[in-house]
Amino acid sequence: MFKTTAAGFALACALGAHAQQQTLKIALIDPLSGTMADVGKIFENHLRFAADTINAAGGIDGVKLEVLAFDNKLSTQESQAALQAAVGAGVKAVFIGGGSATVSAVITAANRNNERNPDKSVLVFNFGGIDPDLVGKNCSFWHFMTEAQVTMRMKAYADFVKKTPEIKKVYFLNPDYSFGRQWTAFGKTLLAEARPDIQIVGEDFFPTGTVKDFAPYIAKMRAAGADTVVSGNWGNDMALMIRAAGDSGYKLRILTHSSANKSTMIALDAAPTVRLNMIGEWFPGADNPTAAKLESAFEAKYKEAFYLVRLSTATELLAQGVRKARSTDPKQIASALEGISYKSILGDVSVRKEDHQFMAPQYVYANHPVDGKAVKKGFDGTHQGFVAESLTPVSALAVPNQCDMKRPAGL
């Protein structure tokens, strides 16, 4: 997927005689300090690896990627400041994944910058902020959501829940910002439509990155008789919630988005009564030879687990835009990516023109102890791996949206 194509000569001509030496600066904006710093560092390593993979194959038809990293401290204000610092450093595309609130702040800052300084425009590739409003009523020409949004994921979970009769009583526990509210709202609606017999037995919201003990929340779930919690928890918060459930011996299923990091797996090792269901376009151990090669190369280089294939697919998307546009100009790249379809690391994928939503099939998968059969290798040195439980095709994931895309003049 990451290779120089026959279009390289044409792109070189379009970019000038020194195209082979040209560098395209990209940046990560995510938490690199504070309680979520470990997650931010994992993001950074995956982005650097994705860029190195492209560069090792000759770049984007000769144009090499240079990665910069900016700490947003999980703050919306710091996120906007980081966007301005990235623009000042000559960055043309930023990648951000640590929560919809900070993603929204970066998109807002990019919109403002691109209107005021069209010669210093910047694109936003969002690999983790999955609030549907970001490709709905707040959609932006400059923004691409490279992950399935909340409604798409909940449609896939609805398919899964139809086939899982042991899910009977559901509690909602989510972070108290836009994404968490959406995870609760769409979860209630779509799961109830799939299984009218399911009982919703409670809900709570909590501040991200500040709760030290989730035992009180676990006690409320248990008292309500919940067998399943739908939670948009992530990072250290998810690990703490799993530990609290495990410490109390609570048999609990968690339906979340993507929490396959080492701290979560360590917590699951110590909590055999907890089952964590996750959802995404890929998971470590999935039957995908291309991604498996990336997984092996990443682990050999960084001595840690590879699980964010979406940063490889996001940089792959950028490369597709540069090649199609024959330009590194953000406006031309964004225009080229509208409605694009191609064969990626994940197979056949596309980007919807109307809202810039990346479209790929979605697995529901779960943690599973290493047993030498279903799971032969533990994740990141733990005794937990993953097994697929369902796969929802793209054709079943299309959702309506409220996007009224405003495109720059001349497009």
Side-chain angles (χ1 to χ4, degrees):
M1 306 305 161
F2 299 128
K3 61 183 178 181
T4 300
T5 71
F9 178 75
L11 178 58
C13 292
L15 296 176
H18 300 291
Q20 295 300 315
Q21 286 78 46
Q22 198 173 85
T23 297
L24 175 59
K25 290 184 179 181
I26 64 175
L28 179 84
I29 298 178
D30 265 311
L32 299 174
S33 63
T35 57
M36 297 296 185
D38 58 336
V39 178
K41 185 58 180 175
I42 291 169
F43 291 169
E44 182 183 351
N45 288 348
H46 278 75
L47 181 59
R48 291 191 183 280
F49 172 76
D52 288 345
T53 303
I54 289 175
N55 290 341
I60 306 173
D61 294 334
V63 178
K64 297 298 182 75
L65 296 177
E66 179 184 346
V67 179
L68 306 179
F70 297 85
D71 182 12
N72 68 2
K73 303 180 176 67
L74 208 61
S75 157
T76 55
Q77 184 175 357
E78 293 284 351
S79 295
Q80 293 189 331
L83 186 282
Q84 291 305 316
V87 169
V91 167
K92 292 187 178 182
V94 300
F95 295 74
I96 180 168
S100 296
T102 53
V103 170
S104 179
V106 165
I107 296 170
T108 298
N111 289 341
R112 184 167 55 242
N113 171 77
N114 296 355
E115 182 177 358
R116 295 174 180 176
N117 306 293
D119 59 327
K120 296 182 179 179
S121 295
V122 63
L123 296 173
V124 180
F125 289 89
N126 162 21
F127 63 90
I130 57 176
D131 181 342
D133 283 348
L134 297 175
V135 284
K137 63 183 181 181
N138 298 327
C139 65
S140 166
F141 173 79
W142 306 103
H143 164 247
F144 290 84
M145 184 179 285
T146 63
E147 274 285 271
Q149 58 171 283
V150 168
T151 45
M152 294 167 64
R153 290 177 185 237
M154 280 301 172
K155 282 177 71 71
Y157 263 137
D159 289 343
F160 170 70
V161 166
K162 283 181 183 179
K163 306 166 190 174
T164 314
E166 58 266 33
I167 296 177
K168 297 177 180 178
K169 294 185 177 182
V170 178
Y171 200 101
F172 287 81
L173 176 65
N174 284 294
D176 193 8
Y177 63 94
S178 58
F179 158 68
R181 297 277 171 178
Q182 298 278 19
W183 197 247
T184 293
F186 285 105
K188 283 183 175 180
T189 300
L190 293 174
L191 297 188
E193 287 177 0
R195 285 272 309 281
D197 60 305
I198 284 178
Q199 297 180 48
I200 307 300
V201 297
E203 70 175 64
D204 268 309
F205 295 93
F206 65 92
T208 301
T210 62
V211 177
K212 304 302 182 186
D213 183 7
F214 278 83
Y217 294 106
I218 293 299
K220 289 178 71 174
M221 289 179 212
R222 200 164 192 173
D227 54 67
T228 301
V229 58
V230 177
S231 180
N233 225 334
W234 58 283
N236 190 54
D237 286 344
M238 177 60 82
L240 289 173
M241 184 176 78
I242 292 169
R243 285 190 179 280
D247 288 347
S248 67
Y250 187 12
K251 186 177 181 181
L252 180 69
R253 181 191 295 269
I254 303 171
L255 302 185
T256 191
H257 44 101
S258 53
S259 293
N261 57 55
K262 187 168 186 175
S263 62
T264 300
M265 297 300 109
I266 290 173
L268 286 165
D269 263 345
T273 58
V274 177
R275 186 166 184 81
L276 184 68
N277 278 116
M278 294 154 279
I279 188 166
E281 69 290 331
W282 176 85
F283 62 91
D287 184 16
N288 183 321
T290 303
K293 289 179 181 178
L294 295 177
E295 184 178 6
S296 296
F298 180 90
E299 292 179 357
K301 181 173 183 177
Y302 288 99
K303 311 304 179 187
E304 64 185 32
F306 177 82
Y307 71 93
L308 291 171
V309 75
R310 63 183 185 265
L311 270 163
S312 292
T313 56
T315 51
E316 181 184 45
L317 181 62
L318 170 64
Q320 289 285 336
V322 171
R323 290 192 180 107
K324 185 178 177 183
R326 298 184 180 181
S327 172
T328 58
D329 175 68
K331 185 171 89 168
Q332 298 304 318
I333 295 170
S335 181
L337 288 177
E338 292 194 313
I340 195 171
S341 298
Y342 60 97
K343 187 172 289 294
S344 82
I345 297 165
L346 305 173
D348 293 329
V349 298
S350 62
V351 174
R352 293 197 308 199
K353 181 176 181 179
E354 61 266 33
D355 60 359
H356 294 187
Q357 171 68 62
F358 183 79
M359 302 296 293
Q362 295 293 300
Y363 287 97
V364 172
Y365 57 102
N367 70 293
H368 191 288
V370 174
D371 60 2
K373 297 177 182 179
V375 176
K376 296 180 180 179
K377 176 186 174 184
F379 178 86
D380 209 1
T382 70
H383 299 291
Q384 297 286 327
F386 308 99
V387 293
E389 298 200 325
S390 70
L391 177 62
T392 303
V394 169
S395 58
L397 294 173
V399 293
N401 65 75
Q402 299 175 302
C403 176
D404 181 17
M405 186 71 73
K406 300 295 191 295
R407 293 177 173 84
L411 292 179

